Amino acid sequence: MAIAFGVALLGVVTLRLLASPDGFALPLDAIEWDLRGRRALSGVAVGASLAVAGVFLQSLLRNPLAEPAVLGLTSGAGLGVVVWIYVAYQATGAIVQYHAPIAPALLGSLGALAIVGGLGQRRGLIEPITLILVGVVVSLICGAGILFVQHLLPDRGVAMASRWVMGSLSDDIGMGWIVGVAGLALASTMIGAWLGPAMDAASMSEDEARSVGVRLGALRATLFLLAGALSAGSVLLAGPIGFVGLVCPHIVRLVGGAAHRPLVVSSALLGGAVIVLADVGVRMIDLGAGRMPIGVLTALIGGPVFIALLRREIRR
């Protein structure tokens, strides 16, 4: 299964390297090769980060509907970044668009997850529907905060609107940031594969998990931190992009089962392929008003899938 998804990822990366507004053609020079390669690598890093974060959140919260955007992690990370941009503007008089440090994004992401996890419990147990409702509310509040901070900027946030509201890959991201987030996604995937049997055991009752030697406290803390870091990294590269962390793990489960070790690896590969393929679509579709944000495509596809899964969960 992982080999199949890896081949699919290589295929869509090849398509992205060949995609241009006029069709599929080889880049004309080294600069064009560099731009297309950066976008392809950035898409792989963002997609893998969101998909693996989705697997970790679903395991951590024991909720198949959990994912970074639905629970407000991406919006929280985005709010942390735009607040930092506003503070930097007040201090220096310049708007820093694409070089925000990871600390504000990480704090915003982990803060949103802590609020959602705390308010989504009842008598110490996670309630799936309550968790989703709280996550949606937190996401809306953080989204409103992003718009408010943008309104305070001198250009009303025009320079950041498409990036921090709907999510999109940028040509201005430095290679260092891309490699850093890609390295984080790779390391988290390896850690997730290593922790796969522990996550399998943790999906049972707590007594059963402890009886086979799983340290639930350490496991949950690891998944909590990694999910927040992955969400923050994806936001730094592309802004808030939704539903990738929900759809990809469910597709992998339908194909190959729920064992977490292959689930983490295959979800990372499929997530990268989905974002790169969405970027190919954005590049090829000309609406006459600039590129469509990738977040629009993922929402149009992921939204109906989320509604279908939510209805199934309510029936259960």
Side-chain angles (χ1 to χ4, degrees), residues 2-314:
I3 292 173
F5 285 124
V7 172
L9 176 59
L10 290 176
V12 296
V13 168
T14 302
L15 284 179
R16 182 61 193 91
L17 294 176
L18 297 176
S20 68
D22 300 324
F24 293 101
L26 289 173
L28 299 177
D29 51 36
I31 295 177
E32 196 168 353
W33 273 109
D34 180 66
L35 289 175
R36 295 187 191 183
R38 287 192 183 200
R39 288 185 69 92
L41 180 58
S42 180
V44 172
V46 170
S49 296
L50 291 173
V52 174
V55 175
F56 288 166
L57 290 173
Q58 290 162 17
S59 175
L60 173 67
L61 302 174
R62 296 182 180 180
N63 189 334
L65 300 178
E67 75 106 17
V70 174
L71 297 185
L73 271 71
T74 54
S75 296
L79 179 60
V81 171
V82 297
V83 167
W84 180 89
I85 290 173
Y86 178 73
V87 171
Y89 164 72
Q90 291 293 327
T92 65
I95 298 178
V96 181
Q97 296 183 41
Y98 302 119
H99 301 287
I102 195 172
L106 181 60
L107 289 175
S109 178
L110 293 178
L113 180 57
I115 293 172
V116 171
L119 297 180
Q121 297 185 34
R122 184 179 181 182
R123 297 177 182 176
L125 299 175
I126 295 291
E127 288 195 344
I129 306 302
T130 301
L131 187 78
I132 297 303
L133 292 176
V134 174
V136 170
V137 172
V138 170
S139 181
L140 290 173
I141 292 173
C142 292
I146 292 173
L147 294 176
F148 175 70
V149 175
Q150 286 182 334
H151 182 74
L152 298 178
L153 294 171
D155 64 348
R156 296 296 186 265
V158 172
M160 302 181 301
S162 64
R163 181 175 172 76
W164 297 113
V165 176
M166 290 305 302
S168 61
L169 298 178
S170 172
D171 295 328
D172 298 329
I173 292 291
M175 183 57 74
W177 285 99
I178 297 174
V179 172
V181 175
L184 173 64
L186 177 60
S188 298
T189 302
M190 296 173 65
I191 294 173
W194 177 57
L195 294 175
M199 287 190 281
D200 291 337
S203 63
M204 302 183 293
S205 67
E206 293 194 4
D207 291 337
E208 289 175 315
R210 290 194 174 95
S211 68
V212 295
V214 176
R215 300 170 57 189
L216 287 177
L219 176 64
R220 288 168 178 167
T222 301
L223 297 179
F224 181 87
L225 292 174
L226 288 178
L230 289 168
S231 301
S234 68
V235 167
L236 287 176
L237 288 188
I241 295 178
F243 300 108
V244 176
L246 174 71
V247 174
C248 292
H250 277 282
I251 291 176
V252 174
R253 287 190 185 96
L254 290 175
V255 175
H260 281 87
R261 177 167 288 169
L263 177 63
V264 170
V265 176
S266 298
S267 295
L269 296 171
L270 180 59
V274 166
I275 292 296
V276 176
L277 184 61
D279 192 43
V280 172
V282 167
R283 184 63 173 168
M284 301 296 293
I285 299 174
D286 184 8
L287 300 178
R291 291 180 179 176
M292 180 192 303
I294 289 179
V296 173
L297 291 179
T298 59
L300 289 175
I301 298 173
V305 174
F306 173 74
I307 293 174
L309 293 172
L310 180 61
R311 289 191 62 184
R312 187 177 69 177
E313 193 68 19
I314 291 175

